[in-house]
Amino acid sequence: MTDLLVNHLNMRMLRIEVQDICVEYNGALALYDASLRLPEACICGLVGMNGAGKTTLFKALMGFVRPSRGRIRINGLPLLKAQLDQAVAYVPQNEGIDCSFPVSVWDVVMMGRYGSMNFLRIPRESDRRAVLHALERVDLVDYKDRPIGNLSGGQRKRAFLARAIAQRASVLLLDEPFSGVDVRTEKLMADLFLQFRRDGKTILISTHDLSHVREFCDLVVLINKTILAYGETSKIFTSENLSMTFGGMHPDPISGVASSGEYQNE
């Protein structure tokens, strides 16, 4: 970690603190001795091969899997307390919603408010305002009554992002958010991420498109079963570090797919 990042962390609130966590599946280590500290108001890229532990890290941060060792804190709070505060929103790469089921865009975004409702899940006026505001931010107000299955791939991505916005979390975890979206949706999401940063949120983005990391990520995390390095993108995103991350292979700067060709750091 660079001296500048250390100073940055000392001056700003820490949103994510991961200390020496290990995660096992059926006795096999999926992630080991992983440590990470991310401040408020930043966009951080999470880069690694398929199977390197990116989704496992996300699941650990959400409390979907329990580390066998180590500690996670969100906004200075133990993970369970942060979950009760709805502090972390997760937008997975592949949604579990059956798009053939006749659920409207409005109802999908309202799911982001469930954690703040009572057990009957009856929306209040504040919940309806939060959903409308989220739909406005992703430019889907005119589609609010449409079945989610009738939207294009890019529009569905925006709807699921709106669900995360409606949750009003301070930490956003995004798994391949630009995968399969149109140019308009990509620009809208990139602009939103910059707005989230201005609002003080921390955005952790898993991506195979290395050009996005250079384009707007302040920080980058390199992962291969453990967190190999993290810090300012300009300092960490080097050909040597990427070669280490991709197991000695050189990733294509656009696809992120490792090959034996020489990688040129731009």
Side-chain angles (χ1 to χ4, degrees):
M1 196 164 47
T2 66
D3 291 340
L4 183 57
L5 179 58
V6 170
N7 292 334
H8 182 67
L9 292 173
N10 289 336
M11 291 187 297
R12 314 194 80 164
M13 175 183 180
L14 285 175
R15 291 284 189 208
I16 296 174
E17 295 176 79
V18 175
Q19 182 178 340
D20 298 326
I21 68 165
C22 295
V23 178
E24 300 179 28
Y25 295 117
N26 300 319
L29 276 175
L31 198 62
Y32 67 90
D33 296 337
S35 296
L36 176 66
R37 301 169 77 212
L38 295 180
E40 62 183 342
C42 74
I43 303 173
C44 182
L46 180 63
V47 174
M49 297 185 294
N50 289 334
K54 300 188 296 296
T55 299
T56 296
L57 176 61
F58 277 169
K59 288 181 177 180
L61 291 171
M62 284 295 297
F64 293 167
V65 297
R66 179 176 295 180
S68 58
R69 183 161 62 85
R71 186 185 74 170
I72 297 174
R73 296 178 74 85
I74 303 292
N75 295 333
L77 301 173
L79 187 55
L80 180 58
K81 180 64 166 65
Q83 287 176 305
L84 294 174
D85 287 349
Q86 295 288 292
V88 183
Y90 177 40
V91 181
Q93 181 178 0
N94 298 308
E95 285 295 334
I97 292 177
D98 182 356
C99 290
S100 66
F101 188 76
V103 59
S104 71
V105 172
W106 178 272
D107 291 336
V108 168
V109 180
M110 184 62 76
M111 292 175 187
R113 302 296 302 164
Y114 283 178
S116 61
M117 295 180 187
N118 61 29
F119 71 96
L120 294 176
R121 290 183 175 173
I122 299 174
R124 300 158 296 182
E125 181 59 29
S126 59
D127 297 315
R128 287 187 283 270
R129 285 198 304 268
V131 170
L132 182 60
H133 173 70
L135 287 168
E136 288 172 345
R137 295 192 77 174
V138 300
D139 195 21
L140 282 180
V141 173
D142 292 341
Y143 297 82
K144 64 183 178 64
D145 297 320
R146 292 195 185 184
I148 190 72
N150 288 1
L151 300 187
S152 68
Q155 288 168 336
R156 280 200 297 271
K157 284 268 186 160
R158 282 189 273 152
F160 296 128
L161 180 58
R163 183 183 62 185
I165 295 172
Q167 185 178 322
R168 294 181 173 169
S170 55
V171 174
L172 298 177
L173 308 178
L174 304 166
D175 196 352
E176 298 289 345
F178 299 111
S179 175
V181 304
D182 54 89
V183 173
R184 177 174 179 271
T185 294
E186 182 174 326
K187 184 179 186 308
L188 184 148
M189 289 197 300
D191 289 343
L192 276 174
F193 298 158
L194 294 174
Q195 292 174 28
F196 296 157
R197 182 177 63 186
R198 289 193 292 270
D199 293 340
K201 299 181 187 297
T202 292
I203 308 102
L204 183 57
I205 301 173
S206 170
T207 181
H208 282 99
D209 190 334
L210 304 187
S211 65
H212 285 135
V213 177
R214 293 190 194 85
E215 186 178 353
F216 58 80
C217 290
D218 314 295
L219 309 175
V220 64
V221 176
L222 303 180
I223 186 170
N224 192 348
K225 301 297 184 181
T226 189
I227 293 175
L228 302 171
Y230 73 97
E232 297 170 80
T233 301
S234 61
K235 302 288 181 63
I236 299 298
F237 212 57
T238 64
S239 58
E240 292 81 8
N241 282 343
L242 286 170
S243 180
M244 173 179 64
T245 302
F246 287 86
M249 306 295 281
H250 300 288
D252 181 271
I254 300 300
S255 68
V257 176
S259 69
S260 58
E262 184 177 359
Y263 173 77
Q264 297 295 329
N265 188 35
E266 296 177 3

